[in-house]
Amino acid sequence: MTLLIDPPNWAGPRGLYWSHLVSDHSLDELHGFAALLGSPRRAFDRDHYDVPETVYLRAIELGAEAVSSQTLVKRLIAAGLRRRRLRP
C-alpha cells in the first residue's frame, strides 16, 4: 500500500496550487485515503485526485509518500493504474 503525492506545483482554482494524489496499489485505496483528507469525489480525475496545497502536509502526515511528479507518473504506469484521457 503506497499513496503518492507530488508537490503543489499546478496553479488552479481559488488562487491555490494543486498536487496529484495517487495509489500504486488500487483505486479503492486511493478513494479511501482521499476521503480521510476530506477530498470530494469530484476532485477525482481518471486515476488521481487533485488536492490543494492546504492539505499537502496533512496527506504526508497520514502516510502519503512525497515524490516528484515524474516519479508519481512512472509508478502509476508501473502499477497498471494509469488511465489516459481519450482524445476525440
Side-chain angles (χ1 to χ4, degrees):
M1 165 180 136
T2 304
L3 294 157
L4 310 168
I5 191 166
D6 64 0
N9 291 330
W10 310 97
R14 299 188 305 262
L16 297 172
Y17 282 87
W18 296 72
S19 295
H20 300 107
L21 178 69
V22 304
S23 168
D24 70 355
H25 179 69
S26 75
L27 293 179
D28 288 337
E29 175 185 54
L30 176 60
H31 293 308
F33 192 84
L36 283 176
L37 284 177
S39 294
R41 188 65 181 246
R42 70 180 176 274
F44 180 70
D45 184 18
R46 296 180 324 272
D47 55 17
H48 69 277
Y49 275 84
D50 293 317
V51 295
E53 61 189 305
T54 55
V55 299
Y56 178 77
L57 292 177
R58 180 73 178 134
I60 293 169
E61 289 172 357
L62 289 173
E65 180 182 341
V67 297
S68 70
S69 298
Q70 295 83 3
T71 298
L72 182 141
V73 171
K74 286 178 185 176
R75 292 190 43 195
L76 189 60
I77 291 169
L81 295 172
R82 181 70 170 151
R83 294 188 179 166
R84 295 188 180 272
R85 185 172 301 227
L86 298 177
R87 297 183 191 223

